[in-house]
Amino acid sequence: MSIALLLGIACGTPAKRERTAQDLIKFVEGTSVFGPAKEWLASDLPDVAATGLFPTRTPSECAVAILPGGEDSFSVRMELLARAKQTIRIQALIYTGDESGLRVAEVLKQKKQQGVDVKVIIDGVNNPSLQTQWMYFDLKQHGIEVEGYEALGLQLANEIPIPLVTPLYDPALPNKRYHEKLWIIDAGTPHAEAVVGGLNIANEYFRVDPGNVPRYWRDQDVVVRGAVLADLTTTFDRNFDHFKDLKRRRGGLTDAAWTATREIMAKTGTPPITFERRDDLVRTVAQLEARKPALTWQPTQCRFLQSRPRLRESYIQQAYLKLLDSARDEVLIGNAYFVPTYSLRLAIAKAARRCVRIVLLSNGPETNDTPGMSLLGRGYYSELLAVNARAEVKACPKKAGVEVWEWQGKASADQRQTQGLYHAKYAVVDRKVALVGSYNLDPRSERHNSETALVFEQDALAQELAKLYERDLSTSRQIDATEAFTFEKPESVRQRFAKDLAGLFEDQM
């Protein structure tokens, strides 16, 4: 049954996906995110079966602290780099050569010179700017491996599917991106720590420039200690080896490009590497780095998950469905790009009918850096809110049903918007269990992107996240059923066109 379900989730017609989604909802019923492997659908590929499903860790093996926003995340990340003695492992979809990214690069080069083993993974598609590419080149010249980047812009050559050469030949492989976010220091040592969540590496994530409102974002990370770091490290090492294997199977084409580039530079000299920076933002980055945020560590049961759709894994999707199934009172979901797939919509409605309050927070088109996604997601609001009219929900003895909120980036009393994109991806269930990760609630994360997440059960941590969620709601507005109905067919010709256009690419969003 697991093979059929996974294939139905990953591919097929909309009707087939609906049928398999219904089967998946039945499969997760009564199971736990901390349950045994038999309660999860694994990949049917024998060499990757269950590898994205790591063991449940006890409180003696896992401690977590919540990072309230990008400023604290940057401070903690830089403090971890400063005290790294053995290894640094960083993976991000985006690592930009701006003021914060360049400061990270400076420290990475210093630590490499001190003998620390430094490895970085970035996504080959999502970092096109010349200054960013130049920063990667500089890191490589200082002996730091940057997988996902190659000389002469040849990184995509490693991902182009080749029949009989590429493992699991898949012509859609270049569309299956690497969205994980990992920041691991000195894995395997007593002082090892890691940061996981939604943040990439760039000014907008760390909130460096409040004057640039569209690039001043709200995001969510956690910092982690304990034996669970072995699972994060396994994920990074496996990803790193994956990129190495892609190059090996193409006969070392990109390695040859590096050799040729360095031979040319040996004759011509290395061109000077200069970067443009704003002095005021450099000062802000230094101030953020000097901060000493107070962290409240809590031992907790936890589990680390990786989903790789290219290998037919769906563990984080299953985790969300299990969390909704287990909820008894309340589910708080904050997610940047909300285009709910059929299985999620079914799970939300099912929970609401059990008298659970489900609160959904995402961007509207005014704050979304991809407005078409919000217009598309809005098309599902009426369906989501319709459950509130059902007799069993109306009869609930407590506040229940579905609430939909859109992030405004400003409080009701503010004259203008003060924050840009809501980029967080987290959930809190019954103020006891929480999930924080890189996974968006959209078709792309479900069917295309590699993702990671940490789920943990500890009252104080979940309640701290719930308070942050309530703060997020204070800079958002609730959408009622009447307004949701207007979103299905927007009055504006431009918005109708944008929504219909986005709909053509829904499976890729």
Side-chain angles (χ1 to χ4, degrees), residues 70-280:
E71 300 94 335
D72 285 348
S73 184
F74 183 76
S75 302
V76 167
R77 288 165 181 252
M78 297 308 290
E79 193 273 332
L80 292 180
L81 289 186
R83 61 181 173 85
K85 301 295 184 185
Q86 295 185 12
T87 60
I88 295 171
R89 301 288 185 261
I90 294 173
Q91 178 168 5
L93 176 82
I94 294 169
Y95 175 11
T96 302
D98 56 16
E99 287 78 9
S100 59
L102 289 169
R103 175 57 186 153
V104 171
E106 288 174 359
V107 177
L108 294 181
K109 290 186 290 186
Q110 292 166 7
K111 302 307 286 191
K112 179 67 176 179
Q113 190 174 29
Q114 294 167 13
V116 176
D117 180 18
V118 181
K119 292 179 180 176
V120 177
I121 304 173
I122 55 91
D123 184 82
V125 169
N126 286 278
N127 297 277
S129 82
L130 182 59
Q131 178 152 305
T132 295
Q133 294 285 302
W134 203 223
M135 177 184 68
Y136 300 153
F137 183 86
D138 186 40
L139 288 171
K140 290 277 285 188
Q141 299 314 105
H142 283 81
I144 295 172
E145 290 295 330
V146 184
E147 289 298 341
Y149 163 76
E150 300 295 343
L152 308 178
L154 288 175
Q155 49 265 29
L156 277 182
N158 292 324
E159 298 179 36
I160 297 172
I162 304 173
L164 305 179
V165 174
T166 305
L168 306 175
Y169 173 68
D170 180 359
L173 186 63
N175 189 38
K176 297 182 177 180
R177 306 315 310 158
Y178 305 90
H179 198 248
E180 298 106 319
K181 283 91 173 167
L182 298 169
W183 187 288
I184 311 167
I185 305 302
D186 289 342
T189 72
H191 55 275
E193 289 184 17
V195 177
V196 297
L199 276 74
N200 289 299
I201 307 167
N203 286 351
E204 56 266 31
Y205 300 95
F206 302 130
R207 296 164 66 90
V208 172
D209 187 5
N212 185 0
V213 172
R215 308 299 290 179
Y216 188 66
W217 293 359
R218 158 75 177 113
D219 215 330
Q220 187 60 58
D221 272 346
V222 295
V223 58
V224 189
R225 291 175 177 166
V228 68
L229 263 67
D231 307 330
L232 279 69
T233 304
T234 295
T235 297
F236 181 94
D237 291 344
R238 186 167 55 201
N239 291 347
F240 199 84
D241 290 344
H242 165 70
F243 281 97
K244 289 288 189 185
D245 188 58
L246 286 176
K247 290 191 286 189
R248 180 182 63 81
R249 288 177 178 271
R250 284 157 179 78
L253 170 65
T254 52
D255 289 338
W258 274 108
T259 300
T261 299
R262 288 174 174 138
E263 286 177 353
I264 292 170
M265 289 191 301
K267 298 176 182 177
T268 64
T270 303
I273 297 179
T274 58
F275 300 103
E276 292 184 3
R277 298 177 175 90
R278 274 176 48 185
D279 292 342
D280 60 325

